[in-house]
Amino acid sequence: MERILLAVLCLSVWSISTCLLHQYHYVHELKTWTEAQSYCRRHYTDLATIENSSEVDQLINAVSDKSVSEVWIGLFSEVDWRWSDGYTGNESGYRRWCAGWSEPNFWAADQFCVFYCSSGWWDYGCEEGLPFICFSGTQFVYINQSLSWTAAQSYCRSNYVDLATVKNPSDDQMIQNVTPSDSSAWIGLFRNPNFNWPDGSSFSFTYWYDDFNPLNSLKIICGVAYLKNSGKWRFVPCDNRRPFVCHGTPSVVKKQTVKLRMKVEDSSVDLNDPVIRADILKKLQEKLNMTGVTLKWGEQPDGKVFHKMKEHRQKKNKKKTEL
């Protein structure tokens, strides 16, 4: 993608608009996350979206009651545990979390993979190095190499079938039999981050609080800004009741449209691919590095952002002829 971007930053025709920071509104009513969102959508735009450090400060300043420790913001995440081999059968929901540490506890919002130990399963940072357990098709195999979860998955898929799927207590016991006492090892359970803002804003800026975010058996977790710790974010059950912060469209919005002609060096690159468009926009936003300015693509009536110059001229001439 980096190679593509170097070529793409000389591309076709695009337009951007800029606007001021979000305008935040504190509401001192205790509501669940869903109730708070409904309120914000009725009276403003939505629960607060935060896209940079300046907006963190702005949100903190918007909270008039300085005794409040936490407020709902729009952040939420879907908790969808999956097995590496894709197993979704009747026993795919078997879990043996370590109760003593309230696992899975999602420390600092950065634990998306699972390891086995005799006391139970733990969620853990996927980049950490651990031994791991493969499945050969007939038995579990303990591999005493310290690899990240992703590297362990690749190893198992290359040499066996996949990382271990644990369907029931019998599987759990077999894993215990092949794993050295007091050893930890990756198994195939994982999940994707699935971090979201309700208004669909990009999730490129993060501000996590270094503490537990207990998941228990929750399917969705919701975000609060912890005002007693510089407004850092953490997750709590969505049915908790908190005051909250909404955001609304600023009363004064300054927009500017810019059109550029760019050249694509690689003709196979589809600039209208949503992934490429998003990556280009992110790079441009980083390069601009201006507080309170947000870049957005300006779509044409056909839904595209980019058009080849020849195609663009033909459409323009056709429109003139029709007039």
Side-chain angles (χ1 to χ4, degrees), residues 13 32 38 73 75 89 123 149 153 161 163 185 207 272 279-280 300 302 304 306 312:
V13 177
T32 67
S38 296
I73 56 177
L75 176 64
D123 63 342
W149 188 92
Q153 181 192 54
V161 174
L163 276 168
Y207 197 50
N272 286 302
D279 211 359
I280 297 170
Q300 301 298 318
D302 61 3
K304 294 182 178 181
F306 301 98
H312 183 67

Side-chain angles (χ1 to χ4, degrees), residues 111-283:
Q111 296 181 321
F112 301 100
C113 297
V114 175
F115 71 76
Y116 162 92
C117 74
S118 58
S119 63
W121 303 356
W122 297 55
D123 63 342
Y124 203 47
C126 302
E127 72 285 352
E128 301 294 337
L130 289 175
F132 50 98
I133 301 167
C134 301
F135 182 61
S136 69
T138 57
Q139 60 184 354
F140 296 109
V141 182
Y142 175 80
I143 307 297
N144 191 22
Q145 293 186 37
S146 185
L147 298 178
S148 68
W149 188 92
T150 303
Q153 181 192 54
S154 297
Y155 181 99
C156 290
R157 288 179 173 179
S158 297
N159 297 279
Y160 298 95
V161 174
D162 211 317
L163 276 168
T165 293
V166 188
K167 302 176 182 177
N168 48 53
S170 178
D171 285 349
D172 210 327
Q173 184 60 52
M174 285 190 284
I175 286 177
Q176 183 173 339
N177 293 341
V178 301
T179 305
S181 178
D182 297 325
S183 179
S184 302
W186 291 124
I187 57 176
L189 195 62
F190 76 102
R191 70 185 184 91
N192 294 318
N194 293 327
F195 294 136
N196 299 281
W197 294 112
D199 64 0
S201 295
S202 170
F203 200 88
S204 55
F205 172 76
T206 59
Y207 197 50
W208 300 118
Y209 177 47
D210 286 341
D211 202 350
F212 299 119
N213 297 273
L215 300 182
N216 302 312
S217 59
L218 297 172
K219 298 298 183 184
I220 297 180
I221 48 178
C222 295
V224 294
Y226 187 25
L227 303 178
K228 300 299 183 183
N229 198 295
S230 305
K232 291 184 177 181
W233 310 339
R234 70 186 191 99
F235 288 105
V236 299
C238 302
D239 58 1
N240 285 4
R241 293 188 172 275
R242 298 282 193 279
F244 53 97
V245 177
C246 307
H247 77 80
T249 304
S251 56
V252 178
V253 177
K254 183 179 180 181
K255 294 185 177 181
Q256 180 180 0
T257 299
V258 179
K259 293 185 177 181
L260 296 179
R261 182 179 301 171
M262 301 182 179
K263 181 181 178 182
V264 181
E265 296 182 1
D266 184 350
S267 61
S268 67
V269 174
D270 180 6
L271 302 181
N272 286 302
D273 183 309
V275 175
I276 293 179
R277 279 167 42 177
D279 211 359
I280 297 170
L281 197 64
K282 179 181 176 182
K283 294 290 185 182

